[in-house]
């Protein structure tokens, strides 16, 4: 009798702690600087962050990549996710959001109605971004076309369908620290780190994950199975890629490997984004990749 | 009557099985060799221009123009002969990297070839005029290669 009361007490305390620890944590007004955004810079952030690679329709090219109506599917071990409509449509897109809604979504993974987003949306990496960059991105997104395609619900089974549990996932696997740390990094490598670890979210595909979908930071950019089940996504750390810095930078602009084969698959689309950035940014990404351990 | 039905059934199964076997035995090796050679010609010539653009080799106007003309010529070889339906990597495995999408989305495939010819023509127009022009035209050319490989070629990773 006494034992079962203790057990019951532990369960209640555990459940209460789990509930508190899993609470969504949106940004507060105090986190958000009051400034007028730079739309042109927001476009640069848009290309660096690769938004169109998930939120435009499959096979879109040219200006169609600016119509962020969603719909692409992302199979995983936990179910199939569908990119939502993030166009400026007020009903089916995010046209009626506030700046704070957007910033909490993209940097904290919390929706305007206070629920966790699934980490297929790489807010864990965008959390490393400068908040002013994300404000500029929000300003740019609002200039893009509206599209009234409804978002398709994710196809995720129990227990992953309980979004509250993602609060614990975030505590376990998100990390505010940079992977490449140190006070002696050059400005160029620091810019590359920002583009790779914060905006470009390269690790989302190029780093392997544990059984619960958390990134294995110890195997940073070492390559990973393709979640579609076909083939592998190659490693791009020095142990796995022996291209020169100049070759990497050129590849990110024109899509040609050092032996002049061309990028294919998902990477061809990544290059469509990254080729919009200034040469200095591609050089910075290359410098960062070569500065990783083993380079 | 049941016997008749069984005969029909059996012959249908035979036809299907034989048909499938016959399909599997179609020999597309000449077409695959031809189109892979076409890609090799382009890669060899892109390499000439790409190495100049990257500063790995010195700029040579005559060589650059010749390479660009070759790319345009290779890109202009009509693709209907070398890409027969059924010669995809779903049916033929590792013999080809051509995805079934080539035949499932023929308009997209035509468009991708059109984009390549446009980019190749852009390069051929300027390749002999200077290094800056080659550096400017190589990116659209790479974009056209990637635009097709993104959807129609099996990634090798």
């Amino acid at each position: 009798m006494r034992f079962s009361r203790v057990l019951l007490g532990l369960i209640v305390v555990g459940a209460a702690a789990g509930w508190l620890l899993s609470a969504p944590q949106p940004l507060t007004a105090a986190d958000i600087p009051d400034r007028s955004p730079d739309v042109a810079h927001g476009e640069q952030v848009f290309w660096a962050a690769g938004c169109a690679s998930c939120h435009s329709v499959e096979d879109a090219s040219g200006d169609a990549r600016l119509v962020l109506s969603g719909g692409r599917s992302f199979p995983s071990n936990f179910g199939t996710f569908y990119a939502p409509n993030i166009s400026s449509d007020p009903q089916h897109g995010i046209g009626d959001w506030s700046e704070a809604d957007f910033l909490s979504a993209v940097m904290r993974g919390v929706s305007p109605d206070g629920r966790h987003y699934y980490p297929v949306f790489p807010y864990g990496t965008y959390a490393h971004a400068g908040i002013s960059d994300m404000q500029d991105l929000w300003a740019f997104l609002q200039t893009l076309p509206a599209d009234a395609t409804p978002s398709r619900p994710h196809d995720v089974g129990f227990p992953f369908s309980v979004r509250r549990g993602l609060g614990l996932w975030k505590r376990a696997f998100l990390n505010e620290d940079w992977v490449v740390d140190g006070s002696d990094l050059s400005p160029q490598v620091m810019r590359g780190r920002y583009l790779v670890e914060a905006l470009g979210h390269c690790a989302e595909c190029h780093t392997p994950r544990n059984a619960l979908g958390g990134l294995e930071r110890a195997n940073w950019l070492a390559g990973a199975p393709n979640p579609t089940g076909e083939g592998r996504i190659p490693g791009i750390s020095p142990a796995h890629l022996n291209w020169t810095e100049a070759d990497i930078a050129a590849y990110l602009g024109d899509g040609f490997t050092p032996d002049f084969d061309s990028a294919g698959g998902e990477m061809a689309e990544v290059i469509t984004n990254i080729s919009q950035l200034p040469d200095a940014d591609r050089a910075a990404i290359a410098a960062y990749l070569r500065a990783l351990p083993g380079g | 009557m049941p016997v008749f039905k069984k005969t029909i059934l059996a012959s249908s199964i035979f036809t299907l099985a034989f048909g499938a076997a016959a399909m599997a035995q179609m020999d597309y090796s000449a077409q695959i060799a031809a189109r892979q050679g076409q890609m090799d010609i382009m890669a060899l010539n892109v390499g000439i221009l790409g190495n100049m653009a990257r500063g790995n080799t010195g700029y040579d106007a005559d060589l650059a123009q010749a390479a660009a003309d070759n790319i345009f010529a290779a890109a202009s070889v009509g693709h209907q002969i070398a890409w027969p339906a059924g010669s995809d990597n779903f049916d033929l495995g590792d013999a080809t990297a051509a995805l079934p999408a080539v035949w499932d989305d023929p308009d997209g495939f035509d468009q991708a070839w059109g984009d390549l010819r446009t980019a190749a023509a852009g390069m051929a127009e300027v390749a002999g005029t200077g290094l800056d022009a080659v550096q400017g035209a190589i990116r659209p050319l790479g974009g056209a290669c990637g635009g097709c490989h993104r959807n129609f070629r099996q990634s090798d990773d």
Side-chain angles (χ1 to χ4, degrees):
Chain A
M1 188 65 179
R2 184 171 296 164
F3 175 74
S4 65
R5 273 194 196 166
V6 171
L7 187 63
L8 183 66
L10 284 174
I11 289 173
V12 169
V13 169
W19 185 253
L20 288 174
L21 288 172
S22 64
Q25 297 178 329
L27 291 168
T28 64
D31 298 318
I32 302 172
D34 184 13
R35 56 187 282 279
S36 48
D38 178 343
V39 177
H41 181 248
E43 180 175 5
Q44 291 288 294
V45 176
F46 175 81
W47 294 122
C51 313
S53 284
C54 292
H55 291 282
S56 67
V57 298
E58 192 90 50
D59 302 345
S61 60
D63 283 349
R65 301 186 78 246
L66 297 174
V67 182
L68 305 178
S69 52
R72 297 193 196 206
S73 63
F74 300 86
S76 77
N77 293 337
F78 313 104
T80 298
F81 300 95
Y82 296 94
N85 182 335
I86 61 161
S87 78
S88 56
D89 186 87
Q91 190 186 350
H92 296 290
I94 61 174
D96 66 340
W97 285 18
S98 68
E99 182 186 60
D101 287 341
F102 176 75
L103 295 172
S104 283
V106 81
M107 302 185 76
R108 293 289 180 88
V110 178
S111 69
D113 62 358
R115 296 191 306 155
H116 293 298
Y117 286 118
Y118 289 101
V120 64
F121 173 26
Y123 49 78
T125 149
Y126 296 146
H128 295 86
I131 197 164
S132 60
D133 274 1
M134 291 294 138
Q135 290 178 300
D136 292 348
L137 173 60
W138 170 238
F140 175 70
L141 289 178
Q142 288 173 289
T143 69
L144 297 181
D147 183 286
T149 306
S151 294
R152 182 169 173 180
H154 301 313
D155 182 10
V156 177
F158 186 81
F160 306 113
S161 53
V162 182
R163 286 181 185 244
R164 185 80 184 198
L166 291 166
L168 300 178
W169 187 94
K170 288 177 176 179
R171 282 184 181 274
F173 299 122
L174 297 189
N175 192 326
E176 290 179 4
D177 297 334
W178 298 107
V179 174
V180 173
D181 217 345
S183 51
D184 55 345
L185 302 180
S186 71
Q188 188 186 38
V189 170
M190 284 179 67
R191 174 66 182 165
R193 176 178 71 177
Y194 183 70
L195 291 166
V196 171
E197 294 193 26
L199 299 186
H201 62 280
C202 311
E204 297 291 307
C205 292
H206 286 283
T207 297
R209 293 173 182 276
N210 63 27
L212 288 171
L215 290 175
E216 293 177 10
R217 286 162 67 101
N219 292 314
W220 192 244
L221 302 177
N226 191 327
T228 63
E230 289 176 22
R232 273 185 72 79
I233 293 160
I236 54 173
S237 58
H240 300 273
L241 185 72
N242 60 6
W243 299 1
T244 65
E245 210 171 300
D247 278 337
I248 295 171
Y251 168 80
L252 293 171
D254 62 27
F256 289 119
T257 65
D259 54 1
F260 295 97
D261 190 2
S262 102
E266 315 258 305
M267 196 61 201
E269 197 166 5
V270 173
I271 288 169
T272 306
N273 299 329
I274 300 295
S275 64
Q276 308 285 326
L277 301 179
D279 285 338
D281 277 349
R282 283 182 293 278
I285 293 170
Y288 167 87
L289 291 176
R290 298 316 298 176
L292 289 170
Chain B
M1 202 59 173
V3 173
F4 178 68
K5 271 189 181 164
K6 272 187 189 166
T7 309
I8 295 274
L9 184 65
S11 75
S12 305
I13 290 171
F14 177 80
T15 307
L16 278 174
F18 184 76
M23 289 289 283
Q25 282 165 7
M26 282 290 282
D27 181 7
Y28 293 122
S29 56
Q31 288 91 334
I32 291 170
R35 67 203 193 196
Q36 290 181 347
Q38 185 182 6
M39 296 295 150
D40 288 344
I41 289 171
M42 288 193 279
L44 177 65
N45 288 281
V46 167
I48 301 286
L49 296 165
N51 277 317
M52 289 180 192
R54 293 184 184 189
N56 299 335
T57 56
Y59 174 72
D60 174 328
D62 291 341
L63 192 60
Q65 189 61 54
D69 290 344
N70 284 346
I71 293 165
F72 182 73
S76 301
V77 174
H79 56 273
Q80 62 273 41
I81 306 290
W83 305 78
S87 63
D88 57 79
N89 73 338
F90 185 80
D91 286 339
L92 302 179
D94 290 339
T96 175
L99 291 169
V102 168
W103 295 273
D104 294 343
D105 179 16
D107 292 344
F109 193 57
D110 286 349
Q111 171 76 41
W113 277 103
D115 291 347
L116 174 62
R117 278 189 288 275
T118 302
M123 176 62 92
E125 203 165 303
V126 301
T129 66
L131 179 59
D132 285 353
V134 170
Q135 288 169 331
I138 195 89
R139 196 168 291 169
L141 188 60
C145 297
C148 190
H149 289 159
R150 169 182 149 197
N151 298 329
F152 298 113
R153 182 180 71 167
Q154 179 68 51
S155 292
D156 54 5
D157 42 59

